[in-house]
Every structure is written in C-alpha cells, then in structure tokens.
PDB file of all heavy atoms in Angstrom:
ATOM      1  N   GLY A 138      47.567  42.196 -14.030  1.00 93.00           N
ATOM      2  CA  GLY A 138      46.279  41.546 -14.196  1.00 93.00           C
ATOM      3  C   GLY A 138      45.264  41.778 -13.112  1.00 93.00           C
ATOM      4  O   GLY A 138      44.318  40.991 -12.963  1.00 93.00           O
ATOM      5  N   ARG A 139      45.426  42.863 -12.360  1.00 93.00           N
ATOM      6  CA  ARG A 139      44.484  43.133 -11.269  1.00 93.00           C
ATOM      7  C   ARG A 139      43.479  44.221 -11.623  1.00 93.00           C
ATOM      8  O   ARG A 139      42.740  44.695 -10.766  1.00 93.00           O
ATOM      9  CB  ARG A 139      45.264  43.494  -9.996  1.00 93.00           C
ATOM     10  CG  ARG A 139      46.126  42.330  -9.538  1.00 93.00           C
ATOM     11  CD  ARG A 139      46.968  42.642  -8.343  1.00 93.00           C
ATOM     12  NE  ARG A 139      47.859  41.528  -8.042  1.00 93.00           N
ATOM     13  CZ  ARG A 139      48.763  41.543  -7.072  1.00 93.00           C
ATOM     14  NH1 ARG A 139      48.878  42.606  -6.306  1.00 93.00           N
ATOM     15  NH2 ARG A 139      49.542  40.491  -6.872  1.00 93.00           N
ATOM     16  N   GLY A 140      43.464  44.611 -12.880  1.00 93.00           N
ATOM     17  CA  GLY A 140      42.447  45.529 -13.357  1.00 93.00           C
ATOM     18  C   GLY A 140      42.771  46.987 -13.118  1.00 93.00           C
ATOM     19  O   GLY A 140      43.625  47.317 -12.297  1.00 93.00           O
ATOM     20  N   PRO A 141      42.082  47.881 -13.824  1.00 94.00           N
ATOM     21  CA  PRO A 141      42.320  49.316 -13.671  1.00 94.00           C
ATOM     22  C   PRO A 141      41.689  49.864 -12.407  1.00 94.00           C
ATOM     23  O   PRO A 141      40.636  49.403 -11.969  1.00 94.00           O
ATOM     24  CB  PRO A 141      41.647  49.913 -14.909  1.00 94.00           C
ATOM     25  CG  PRO A 141      40.540  48.950 -15.223  1.00 94.00           C
ATOM     26  CD  PRO A 141      41.072  47.592 -14.858  1.00 94.00           C
ATOM     27  N   GLN A 142      42.344  50.836 -11.810  1.00 92.00           N
ATOM     28  CA  GLN A 142      41.792  51.552 -10.667  1.00 92.00           C
ATOM     29  C   GLN A 142      41.225  52.906 -11.083  1.00 92.00           C
ATOM     30  O   GLN A 142      40.654  53.610 -10.263  1.00 92.00           O
ATOM     31  CB  GLN A 142      42.877  51.738  -9.594  1.00 92.00           C
ATOM     32  CG  GLN A 142      43.432  50.430  -9.059  1.00 92.00           C
ATOM     33  CD  GLN A 142      44.580  50.614  -8.089  1.00 92.00           C
ATOM     34  OE1 GLN A 142      45.057  51.726  -7.885  1.00 92.00           O
ATOM     35  NE2 GLN A 142      45.031  49.530  -7.485  1.00 92.00           N
ATOM     36  N   LYS A 143      41.426  53.256 -12.352  1.00 93.00           N
ATOM     37  CA  LYS A 143      40.953  54.534 -12.884  1.00 93.00           C
ATOM     38  C   LYS A 143      40.130  54.273 -14.139  1.00 93.00           C
ATOM     39  O   LYS A 143      40.508  53.444 -14.978  1.00 93.00           O
ATOM     40  CB  LYS A 143      42.141  55.452 -13.217  1.00 93.00           C
ATOM     41  CG  LYS A 143      42.960  55.874 -12.015  1.00 93.00           C
ATOM     42  CD  LYS A 143      44.300  56.453 -12.437  1.00 93.00           C
ATOM     43  CE  LYS A 143      44.156  57.759 -13.195  1.00 93.00           C
ATOM     44  NZ  LYS A 143      43.731  58.870 -12.325  1.00 93.00           N
ATOM     45  N   CYS A 144      39.039  55.014 -14.279  1.00 93.00           N
ATOM     46  CA  CYS A 144      38.164  54.768 -15.425  1.00 93.00           C
ATOM     47  C   CYS A 144      38.852  55.064 -16.753  1.00 93.00           C
ATOM     48  O   CYS A 144      38.550  54.443 -17.774  1.00 93.00           O
ATOM     49  CB  CYS A 144      36.891  55.602 -15.304  1.00 93.00           C
ATOM     50  SG  CYS A 144      37.140  57.395 -15.277  1.00 93.00           S
ATOM     51  N   VAL A 145      39.793  56.015 -16.765  1.00 95.00           N
ATOM     52  CA  VAL A 145      40.393  56.437 -18.036  1.00 95.00           C
ATOM     53  C   VAL A 145      41.196  55.322 -18.703  1.00 95.00           C
ATOM     54  O   VAL A 145      41.394  55.337 -19.921  1.00 95.00           O
ATOM     55  CB  VAL A 145      41.281  57.688 -17.863  1.00 95.00           C
ATOM     56  CG1 VAL A 145      40.442  58.889 -17.471  1.00 95.00           C
ATOM     57  CG2 VAL A 145      42.409  57.452 -16.869  1.00 95.00           C
ATOM     58  N   THR A 146      41.668  54.340 -17.923  1.00 97.00           N
ATOM     59  CA  THR A 146      42.452  53.269 -18.523  1.00 97.00           C
ATOM     60  C   THR A 146      41.699  51.935 -18.561  1.00 97.00           C
ATOM     61  O   THR A 146      42.291  50.902 -18.860  1.00 97.00           O
ATOM     62  CB  THR A 146      43.791  53.074 -17.776  1.00 97.00           C
ATOM     63  OG1 THR A 146      43.535  52.821 -16.392  1.00 97.00           O
ATOM     64  CG2 THR A 146      44.668  54.306 -17.924  1.00 97.00           C
ATOM     65  N   GLY A 147      40.420  51.970 -18.263  1.00 96.00           N
ATOM     66  CA  GLY A 147      39.606  50.760 -18.350  1.00 96.00           C
ATOM     67  C   GLY A 147      39.146  50.502 -19.778  1.00 96.00           C
ATOM     68  O   GLY A 147      39.132  51.403 -20.618  1.00 96.00           O
ATOM     69  N   ARG A 148      38.750  49.269 -20.032  1.00 96.00           N
ATOM     70  CA  ARG A 148      38.260  48.917 -21.368  1.00 96.00           C
ATOM     71  C   ARG A 148      36.929  49.601 -21.662  1.00 96.00           C
ATOM     72  O   ARG A 148      36.648  49.990 -22.792  1.00 96.00           O
ATOM     73  CB  ARG A 148      38.111  47.406 -21.479  1.00 96.00           C
ATOM     74  CG  ARG A 148      37.696  46.946 -22.862  1.00 96.00           C
ATOM     75  CD  ARG A 148      37.800  45.435 -23.022  1.00 96.00           C
ATOM     76  NE  ARG A 148      37.571  45.034 -24.399  1.00 96.00           N
ATOM     77  CZ  ARG A 148      37.820  43.810 -24.868  1.00 96.00           C
ATOM     78  NH1 ARG A 148      38.312  42.889 -24.059  1.00 96.00           N
ATOM     79  NH2 ARG A 148      37.600  43.525 -26.129  1.00 96.00           N
ATOM     80  N   ILE A 149      36.095  49.718 -20.641  1.00 95.00           N
ATOM     81  CA  ILE A 149      34.844  50.462 -20.772  1.00 95.00           C
ATOM     82  C   ILE A 149      34.809  51.531 -19.689  1.00 95.00           C
ATOM     83  O   ILE A 149      35.589  51.489 -18.736  1.00 95.00           O
ATOM     84  CB  ILE A 149      33.599  49.554 -20.652  1.00 95.00           C
ATOM     85  CG1 ILE A 149      33.516  48.930 -19.254  1.00 95.00           C
ATOM     86  CG2 ILE A 149      33.595  48.497 -21.741  1.00 95.00           C
ATOM     87  CD1 ILE A 149      32.214  48.204 -18.990  1.00 95.00           C
ATOM     88  N   CYS A 150      33.926  52.488 -19.860  1.00 94.00           N
ATOM     89  CA  CYS A 150      33.729  53.496 -18.816  1.00 94.00           C
ATOM     90  C   CYS A 150      32.223  53.582 -18.563  1.00 94.00           C
ATOM     91  O   CYS A 150      31.509  52.618 -18.787  1.00 94.00           O
ATOM     92  CB  CYS A 150      34.332  54.834 -19.217  1.00 94.00           C
ATOM     93  SG  CYS A 150      33.719  55.518 -20.776  1.00 94.00           S
ATOM     94  N   GLY A 151      31.745  54.705 -18.082  1.00 92.00           N
ATOM     95  CA  GLY A 151      30.305  54.868 -17.960  1.00 92.00           C
ATOM     96  C   GLY A 151      29.740  54.685 -16.574  1.00 92.00           C
ATOM     97  O   GLY A 151      28.529  54.845 -16.371  1.00 92.00           O
ATOM     98  N   LYS A 152      30.588  54.346 -15.585  1.00 90.00           N
ATOM     99  CA  LYS A 152      30.087  54.204 -14.222  1.00 90.00           C
ATOM    100  C   LYS A 152      30.562  55.341 -13.322  1.00 90.00           C
ATOM    101  O   LYS A 152      30.555  55.228 -12.100  1.00 90.00           O
ATOM    102  CB  LYS A 152      30.479  52.848 -13.641  1.00 90.00           C
ATOM    103  CG  LYS A 152      29.733  51.692 -14.302  1.00 90.00           C
ATOM    104  CD  LYS A 152      29.894  50.400 -13.529  1.00 90.00           C
ATOM    105  CE  LYS A 152      29.060  49.282 -14.157  1.00 90.00           C
ATOM    106  NZ  LYS A 152      29.168  48.027 -13.415  1.00 90.00           N
ATOM    107  N   ALA A 153      30.992  56.421 -13.936  1.00 94.00           N
ATOM    108  CA  ALA A 153      31.364  57.638 -13.189  1.00 94.00           C
ATOM    109  C   ALA A 153      30.652  58.801 -13.867  1.00 94.00           C
ATOM    110  O   ALA A 153      31.145  59.362 -14.845  1.00 94.00           O
ATOM    111  CB  ALA A 153      32.870  57.837 -13.188  1.00 94.00           C
ATOM    112  N   LEU A 154      29.479  59.125 -13.359  1.00 98.00           N
ATOM    113  CA  LEU A 154      28.611  60.107 -14.003  1.00 98.00           C
ATOM    114  C   LEU A 154      28.654  61.433 -13.247  1.00 98.00           C
ATOM    115  O   LEU A 154      29.347  61.569 -12.239  1.00 98.00           O
ATOM    116  CB  LEU A 154      27.180  59.570 -14.065  1.00 98.00           C
ATOM    117  CG  LEU A 154      27.001  58.245 -14.825  1.00 98.00           C
ATOM    118  CD1 LEU A 154      27.136  57.055 -13.889  1.00 98.00           C
ATOM    119  CD2 LEU A 154      25.652  58.194 -15.520  1.00 98.00           C
ATOM    120  N   ALA A 155      27.897  62.401 -13.732  1.00 98.00           N
ATOM    121  CA  ALA A 155      27.841  63.711 -13.085  1.00 98.00           C
ATOM    122  C   ALA A 155      26.397  64.175 -13.001  1.00 98.00           C
ATOM    123  O   ALA A 155      25.620  64.018 -13.959  1.00 98.00           O
ATOM    124  CB  ALA A 155      28.664  64.731 -13.865  1.00 98.00           C
ATOM    125  N   ILE A 156      26.041  64.734 -11.851  1.00 98.00           N
ATOM    126  CA  ILE A 156      24.692  65.257 -11.671  1.00 98.00           C
ATOM    127  C   ILE A 156      24.773  66.732 -11.298  1.00 98.00           C
ATOM    128  O   ILE A 156      25.544  67.127 -10.425  1.00 98.00           O
ATOM    129  CB  ILE A 156      23.913  64.448 -10.607  1.00 98.00           C
ATOM    130  CG1 ILE A 156      22.450  64.887 -10.562  1.00 98.00           C
ATOM    131  CG2 ILE A 156      24.553  64.525  -9.240  1.00 98.00           C
ATOM    132  CD1 ILE A 156      21.568  63.951  -9.761  1.00 98.00           C
ATOM    133  N   GLU A 157      24.015  67.523 -12.012  1.00 98.00           N
ATOM    134  CA  GLU A 157      24.027  68.965 -11.789  1.00 98.00           C
ATOM    135  C   GLU A 157      23.051  69.365 -10.673  1.00 98.00           C
ATOM    136  O   GLU A 157      22.245  68.559 -10.207  1.00 98.00           O
ATOM    137  CB  GLU A 157      23.688  69.696 -13.088  1.00 98.00           C
ATOM    138  CG  GLU A 157      24.910  70.154 -13.869  1.00 98.00           C
ATOM    139  CD  GLU A 157      25.639  71.289 -13.161  1.00 98.00           C
ATOM    140  OE1 GLU A 157      25.091  71.857 -12.194  1.00 98.00           O
ATOM    141  OE2 GLU A 157      26.764  71.606 -13.569  1.00 98.00           O
ATOM    142  N   PHE A 158      23.132  70.626 -10.272  1.00 98.00           N
ATOM    143  CA  PHE A 158      22.355  71.138  -9.144  1.00 98.00           C
ATOM    144  C   PHE A 158      20.844  70.972  -9.335  1.00 98.00           C
ATOM    145  O   PHE A 158      20.093  70.914  -8.364  1.00 98.00           O
ATOM    146  CB  PHE A 158      22.682  72.628  -8.939  1.00 98.00           C
ATOM    147  CG  PHE A 158      22.015  73.533  -9.937  1.00 98.00           C
ATOM    148  CD1 PHE A 158      20.854  74.227  -9.602  1.00 98.00           C
ATOM    149  CD2 PHE A 158      22.511  73.684 -11.226  1.00 98.00           C
ATOM    150  CE1 PHE A 158      20.220  75.048 -10.523  1.00 98.00           C
ATOM    151  CE2 PHE A 158      21.890  74.495 -12.154  1.00 98.00           C
ATOM    152  CZ  PHE A 158      20.729  75.184 -11.799  1.00 98.00           C
ATOM    153  N   ASN A 159      20.388  70.890 -10.592  1.00 98.00           N
ATOM    154  CA  ASN A 159      18.954  70.800 -10.888  1.00 98.00           C
ATOM    155  C   ASN A 159      18.472  69.375 -11.137  1.00 98.00           C
ATOM    156  O   ASN A 159      17.319  69.159 -11.516  1.00 98.00           O
ATOM    157  CB  ASN A 159      18.622  71.665 -12.100  1.00 98.00           C
ATOM    158  CG  ASN A 159      19.340  71.205 -13.366  1.00 98.00           C
ATOM    159  OD1 ASN A 159      20.201  70.317 -13.316  1.00 98.00           O
ATOM    160  ND2 ASN A 159      19.005  71.803 -14.498  1.00 98.00           N
ATOM    161  N   GLY A 160      19.359  68.385 -10.945  1.00 98.00           N
ATOM    162  CA  GLY A 160      18.970  66.991 -11.121  1.00 98.00           C
ATOM    163  C   GLY A 160      19.250  66.410 -12.486  1.00 98.00           C
ATOM    164  O   GLY A 160      18.993  65.231 -12.721  1.00 98.00           O
ATOM    165  N   ASP A 161      19.783  67.212 -13.408  1.00 98.00           N
ATOM    166  CA  ASP A 161      20.165  66.681 -14.716  1.00 98.00           C
ATOM    167  C   ASP A 161      21.370  65.758 -14.560  1.00 98.00           C
ATOM    168  O   ASP A 161      22.369  66.124 -13.928  1.00 98.00           O
ATOM    169  CB  ASP A 161      20.513  67.815 -15.680  1.00 98.00           C
ATOM    170  CG  ASP A 161      19.285  68.565 -16.162  1.00 98.00           C
ATOM    171  OD1 ASP A 161      18.165  68.046 -16.020  1.00 98.00           O
ATOM    172  OD2 ASP A 161      19.453  69.689 -16.697  1.00 98.00           O
ATOM    173  N   LEU A 162      21.277  64.563 -15.161  1.00 98.00           N
ATOM    174  CA  LEU A 162      22.330  63.563 -15.062  1.00 98.00           C
ATOM    175  C   LEU A 162      23.033  63.425 -16.406  1.00 98.00           C
ATOM    176  O   LEU A 162      22.377  63.314 -17.445  1.00 98.00           O
ATOM    177  CB  LEU A 162      21.742  62.219 -14.633  1.00 98.00           C
ATOM    178  CG  LEU A 162      22.736  61.095 -14.334  1.00 98.00           C
ATOM    179  CD1 LEU A 162      23.542  61.397 -13.072  1.00 98.00           C
ATOM    180  CD2 LEU A 162      22.000  59.762 -14.153  1.00 98.00           C
ATOM    181  N   TYR A 163      24.371  63.417 -16.384  1.00 98.00           N
ATOM    182  CA  TYR A 163      25.178  63.348 -17.598  1.00 98.00           C
ATOM    183  C   TYR A 163      26.071  62.108 -17.576  1.00 98.00           C
ATOM    184  O   TYR A 163      26.421  61.586 -16.518  1.00 98.00           O
ATOM    185  CB  TYR A 163      26.036  64.610 -17.733  1.00 98.00           C
ATOM    186  CG  TYR A 163      25.223  65.863 -17.957  1.00 98.00           C
ATOM    187  CD1 TYR A 163      24.713  66.580 -16.878  1.00 98.00           C
ATOM    188  CD2 TYR A 163      24.934  66.314 -19.241  1.00 98.00           C
ATOM    189  CE1 TYR A 163      23.946  67.732 -17.078  1.00 98.00           C
ATOM    190  CE2 TYR A 163      24.180  67.463 -19.452  1.00 98.00           C
ATOM    191  CZ  TYR A 163      23.685  68.160 -18.366  1.00 98.00           C
ATOM    192  OH  TYR A 163      22.933  69.291 -18.567  1.00 98.00           O
ATOM    193  N   CYS A 164      26.463  61.679 -18.775  1.00 98.00           N
ATOM    194  CA  CYS A 164      27.233  60.443 -18.932  1.00 98.00           C
ATOM    195  C   CYS A 164      28.520  60.429 -18.125  1.00 98.00           C
ATOM    196  O   CYS A 164      28.957  59.388 -17.652  1.00 98.00           O
ATOM    197  CB  CYS A 164      27.574  60.226 -20.406  1.00 98.00           C
ATOM    198  SG  CYS A 164      26.150  59.892 -21.462  1.00 98.00           S
ATOM    199  N   CYS A 165      29.159  61.587 -17.976  1.00 97.00           N
ATOM    200  CA  CYS A 165      30.464  61.667 -17.332  1.00 97.00           C
ATOM    201  C   CYS A 165      30.726  63.112 -16.943  1.00 97.00           C
ATOM    202  O   CYS A 165      30.169  64.043 -17.540  1.00 97.00           O
ATOM    203  CB  CYS A 165      31.544  61.161 -18.294  1.00 97.00           C
ATOM    204  SG  CYS A 165      33.249  61.453 -17.766  1.00 97.00           S
ATOM    205  N   ASP A 166      31.599  63.292 -15.969  1.00 96.00           N
ATOM    206  CA  ASP A 166      31.982  64.625 -15.519  1.00 96.00           C
ATOM    207  C   ASP A 166      32.558  65.470 -16.654  1.00 96.00           C
ATOM    208  O   ASP A 166      32.369  66.693 -16.696  1.00 96.00           O
ATOM    209  CB  ASP A 166      33.019  64.468 -14.395  1.00 96.00           C
ATOM    210  CG  ASP A 166      33.481  65.787 -13.825  1.00 96.00           C
ATOM    211  OD1 ASP A 166      32.659  66.710 -13.730  1.00 96.00           O
ATOM    212  OD2 ASP A 166      34.665  65.891 -13.467  1.00 96.00           O
ATOM    213  N   HIS A 167      33.268  64.849 -17.573  1.00 97.00           N
ATOM    214  CA  HIS A 167      33.881  65.576 -18.695  1.00 97.00           C
ATOM    215  C   HIS A 167      32.971  65.626 -19.921  1.00 97.00           C
ATOM    216  O   HIS A 167      33.381  66.117 -20.971  1.00 97.00           O
ATOM    217  CB  HIS A 167      35.229  64.951 -19.062  1.00 97.00           C
ATOM    218  CG  HIS A 167      36.296  65.246 -18.051  1.00 97.00           C
ATOM    219  ND1 HIS A 167      36.984  66.434 -18.019  1.00 97.00           N
ATOM    220  CD2 HIS A 167      36.773  64.507 -17.014  1.00 97.00           C
ATOM    221  CE1 HIS A 167      37.852  66.424 -17.027  1.00 97.00           C
ATOM    222  NE2 HIS A 167      37.744  65.265 -16.399  1.00 97.00           N
ATOM    223  N   PHE A 168      31.772  65.118 -19.777  1.00 98.00           N
ATOM    224  CA  PHE A 168      30.809  65.128 -20.886  1.00 98.00           C
ATOM    225  C   PHE A 168      29.517  65.839 -20.479  1.00 98.00           C
ATOM    226  O   PHE A 168      28.436  65.456 -20.907  1.00 98.00           O
ATOM    227  CB  PHE A 168      30.518  63.698 -21.340  1.00 98.00           C
ATOM    228  CG  PHE A 168      31.647  63.060 -22.106  1.00 98.00           C
ATOM    229  CD1 PHE A 168      32.790  62.611 -21.464  1.00 98.00           C
ATOM    230  CD2 PHE A 168      31.568  62.909 -23.485  1.00 98.00           C
ATOM    231  CE1 PHE A 168      33.835  62.023 -22.160  1.00 98.00           C
ATOM    232  CE2 PHE A 168      32.610  62.321 -24.202  1.00 98.00           C
ATOM    233  CZ  PHE A 168      33.744  61.887 -23.539  1.00 98.00           C
ATOM    234  N   VAL A 169      29.656  66.860 -19.669  1.00 98.00           N
ATOM    235  CA  VAL A 169      28.479  67.640 -19.267  1.00 98.00           C
ATOM    236  C   VAL A 169      28.173  68.645 -20.370  1.00 98.00           C
ATOM    237  O   VAL A 169      28.540  69.823 -20.314  1.00 98.00           O
ATOM    238  CB  VAL A 169      28.689  68.319 -17.894  1.00 98.00           C
ATOM    239  CG1 VAL A 169      27.455  69.138 -17.511  1.00 98.00           C
ATOM    240  CG2 VAL A 169      28.963  67.262 -16.822  1.00 98.00           C
ATOM    241  N   TYR A 170      27.558  68.126 -21.398  1.00 98.00           N
ATOM    242  CA  TYR A 170      27.100  68.881 -22.562  1.00 98.00           C
ATOM    243  C   TYR A 170      25.688  68.398 -22.881  1.00 98.00           C
ATOM    244  O   TYR A 170      25.347  67.241 -22.563  1.00 98.00           O
ATOM    245  CB  TYR A 170      28.010  68.627 -23.770  1.00 98.00           C
ATOM    246  CG  TYR A 170      29.405  69.198 -23.644  1.00 98.00           C
ATOM    247  CD1 TYR A 170      30.399  68.504 -22.945  1.00 98.00           C
ATOM    248  CD2 TYR A 170      29.744  70.420 -24.243  1.00 98.00           C
ATOM    249  CE1 TYR A 170      31.685  69.021 -22.843  1.00 98.00           C
ATOM    250  CE2 TYR A 170      31.026  70.938 -24.142  1.00 98.00           C
ATOM    251  CZ  TYR A 170      31.996  70.237 -23.439  1.00 98.00           C
ATOM    252  OH  TYR A 170      33.269  70.757 -23.338  1.00 98.00           O
ATOM    253  N   PRO A 171      24.874  69.227 -23.507  1.00 98.00           N
ATOM    254  CA  PRO A 171      23.503  68.784 -23.828  1.00 98.00           C
ATOM    255  C   PRO A 171      23.452  67.461 -24.581  1.00 98.00           C
ATOM    256  O   PRO A 171      22.523  66.667 -24.386  1.00 98.00           O
ATOM    257  CB  PRO A 171      22.963  69.940 -24.686  1.00 98.00           C
ATOM    258  CG  PRO A 171      23.718  71.149 -24.203  1.00 98.00           C
ATOM    259  CD  PRO A 171      25.086  70.640 -23.876  1.00 98.00           C
ATOM    260  N   GLU A 172      24.447  67.199 -25.418  1.00 98.00           N
ATOM    261  CA  GLU A 172      24.460  65.970 -26.215  1.00 98.00           C
ATOM    262  C   GLU A 172      24.583  64.707 -25.346  1.00 98.00           C
ATOM    263  O   GLU A 172      24.272  63.606 -25.794  1.00 98.00           O
ATOM    264  CB  GLU A 172      25.614  66.003 -27.219  1.00 98.00           C
ATOM    265  CG  GLU A 172      25.460  67.056 -28.306  1.00 98.00           C
ATOM    266  CD  GLU A 172      26.016  68.413 -27.909  1.00 98.00           C
ATOM    267  OE1 GLU A 172      26.243  68.669 -26.699  1.00 98.00           O
ATOM    268  OE2 GLU A 172      26.240  69.239 -28.813  1.00 98.00           O
ATOM    269  N   TYR A 173      25.063  64.860 -24.129  1.00 98.00           N
ATOM    270  CA  TYR A 173      25.303  63.698 -23.273  1.00 98.00           C
ATOM    271  C   TYR A 173      24.425  63.701 -22.021  1.00 98.00           C
ATOM    272  O   TYR A 173      24.726  63.007 -21.048  1.00 98.00           O
ATOM    273  CB  TYR A 173      26.785  63.642 -22.880  1.00 98.00           C
ATOM    274  CG  TYR A 173      27.682  63.365 -24.060  1.00 98.00           C
ATOM    275  CD1 TYR A 173      28.331  64.409 -24.724  1.00 98.00           C
ATOM    276  CD2 TYR A 173      27.874  62.072 -24.532  1.00 98.00           C
ATOM    277  CE1 TYR A 173      29.148  64.172 -25.821  1.00 98.00           C
ATOM    278  CE2 TYR A 173      28.688  61.823 -25.623  1.00 98.00           C
ATOM    279  CZ  TYR A 173      29.326  62.874 -26.263  1.00 98.00           C
ATOM    280  OH  TYR A 173      30.138  62.630 -27.352  1.00 98.00           O
ATOM    281  N   LYS A 174      23.345  64.421 -22.070  1.00 98.00           N
ATOM    282  CA  LYS A 174      22.396  64.413 -20.951  1.00 98.00           C
ATOM    283  C   LYS A 174      21.550  63.149 -21.017  1.00 98.00           C
ATOM    284  O   LYS A 174      20.968  62.822 -22.054  1.00 98.00           O
ATOM    285  CB  LYS A 174      21.512  65.654 -21.006  1.00 98.00           C
ATOM    286  CG  LYS A 174      20.457  65.716 -19.906  1.00 98.00           C
ATOM    287  CD  LYS A 174      19.603  66.969 -20.041  1.00 98.00           C
ATOM    288  CE  LYS A 174      18.377  66.912 -19.155  1.00 98.00           C
ATOM    289  NZ  LYS A 174      17.529  68.120 -19.286  1.00 98.00           N
ATOM    290  N   LEU A 175      21.483  62.434 -19.895  1.00 98.00           N
ATOM    291  CA  LEU A 175      20.701  61.197 -19.822  1.00 98.00           C
ATOM    292  C   LEU A 175      19.255  61.447 -19.421  1.00 98.00           C
ATOM    293  O   LEU A 175      18.358  60.685 -19.787  1.00 98.00           O
ATOM    294  CB  LEU A 175      21.342  60.237 -18.812  1.00 98.00           C
ATOM    295  CG  LEU A 175      22.720  59.687 -19.176  1.00 98.00           C
ATOM    296  CD1 LEU A 175      23.335  58.974 -17.982  1.00 98.00           C
ATOM    297  CD2 LEU A 175      22.627  58.751 -20.364  1.00 98.00           C
ATOM    298  N   GLY A 176      19.016  62.492 -18.659  1.00 98.00           N
ATOM    299  CA  GLY A 176      17.676  62.784 -18.169  1.00 98.00           C
ATOM    300  C   GLY A 176      17.767  63.503 -16.847  1.00 98.00           C
ATOM    301  O   GLY A 176      18.837  63.957 -16.428  1.00 98.00           O
ATOM    302  N   ASN A 177      16.637  63.608 -16.164  1.00 98.00           N
ATOM    303  CA  ASN A 177      16.585  64.276 -14.874  1.00 98.00           C
ATOM    304  C   ASN A 177      16.032  63.316 -13.833  1.00 98.00           C
ATOM    305  O   ASN A 177      15.048  62.604 -14.089  1.00 98.00           O
ATOM    306  CB  ASN A 177      15.701  65.520 -14.951  1.00 98.00           C
ATOM    307  CG  ASN A 177      15.788  66.384 -13.701  1.00 98.00           C
ATOM    308  OD1 ASN A 177      15.257  66.032 -12.656  1.00 98.00           O
ATOM    309  ND2 ASN A 177      16.466  67.516 -13.816  1.00 98.00           N
ATOM    310  N   ILE A 178      16.660  63.280 -12.657  1.00 98.00           N
ATOM    311  CA  ILE A 178      16.299  62.273 -11.657  1.00 98.00           C
ATOM    312  C   ILE A 178      14.950  62.545 -11.007  1.00 98.00           C
ATOM    313  O   ILE A 178      14.427  61.689 -10.294  1.00 98.00           O
ATOM    314  CB  ILE A 178      17.384  62.134 -10.578  1.00 98.00           C
ATOM    315  CG1 ILE A 178      17.501  63.410  -9.726  1.00 98.00           C
ATOM    316  CG2 ILE A 178      18.720  61.756 -11.208  1.00 98.00           C
ATOM    317  CD1 ILE A 178      18.379  63.226  -8.492  1.00 98.00           C
ATOM    318  N   ARG A 179      14.363  63.697 -11.244  1.00 98.00           N
ATOM    319  CA  ARG A 179      12.992  63.927 -10.772  1.00 98.00           C
ATOM    320  C   ARG A 179      11.970  63.196 -11.660  1.00 98.00           C
ATOM    321  O   ARG A 179      10.847  62.932 -11.232  1.00 98.00           O
ATOM    322  CB  ARG A 179      12.668  65.409 -10.763  1.00 98.00           C
ATOM    323  CG  ARG A 179      13.349  66.219  -9.668  1.00 98.00           C
ATOM    324  CD  ARG A 179      12.682  67.574  -9.537  1.00 98.00           C
ATOM    325  NE  ARG A 179      13.367  68.477  -8.634  1.00 98.00           N
ATOM    326  CZ  ARG A 179      13.240  68.492  -7.314  1.00 98.00           C
ATOM    327  NH1 ARG A 179      12.470  67.587  -6.732  1.00 98.00           N
ATOM    328  NH2 ARG A 179      13.881  69.383  -6.575  1.00 98.00           N
ATOM    329  N   GLU A 180      12.403  62.892 -12.887  1.00 98.00           N
ATOM    330  CA  GLU A 180      11.490  62.289 -13.861  1.00 98.00           C
ATOM    331  C   GLU A 180      11.736  60.791 -14.049  1.00 98.00           C
ATOM    332  O   GLU A 180      10.798  60.018 -14.254  1.00 98.00           O
ATOM    333  CB  GLU A 180      11.636  63.014 -15.202  1.00 98.00           C
ATOM    334  CG  GLU A 180      11.282  64.504 -15.110  1.00 98.00           C
ATOM    335  CD  GLU A 180      11.725  65.279 -16.331  1.00 98.00           C
ATOM    336  OE1 GLU A 180      12.339  64.662 -17.238  1.00 98.00           O
ATOM    337  OE2 GLU A 180      11.479  66.497 -16.377  1.00 98.00           O
TER     338      GLU A 180
END
C-alpha cells in the first residue's frame, strides 16, 4: 500500500514526458510519434 515507484504499474501515467532537441514535447518517451505531440515549448 505504499504506491508504485514506476509509472508502468501506476493507475495513471502522464507525468514522465519527452522533449526533443527542437522543443517538441511528447506525452511519453515511448510515445514520441506525431500523434502524441503536445506542442512546442517555444510556443
């Protein structure tokens, strides 16, 4: 009952994202695909 230490076994995820060299931010490191691009941090 002390909670997950890894996102893969948590009830929700979404707080471990990935940012590319050009500032594009994606939902997750394993979801770096155009479909999961959130935007660019310059904008």
Side-chain angles (χ1 to χ4, degrees):
R139 297 177 186 177
Q142 299 175 354
K143 295 165 66 71
C144 61
V145 294
T146 57
R148 184 170 188 168
I149 64 171
C150 57
K152 290 193 176 181
L154 301 91
I156 187 168
E157 264 290 349
F158 77 100
N159 62 352
D161 286 343
L162 186 68
Y163 294 86
C164 293
C165 170
D166 181 36
H167 287 279
F168 287 75
V169 179
Y170 291 82
E172 293 87 343
Y173 293 98
K174 178 181 168 181
L175 294 169
N177 189 287
I178 66 170
R179 288 195 187 277
E180 299 167 358

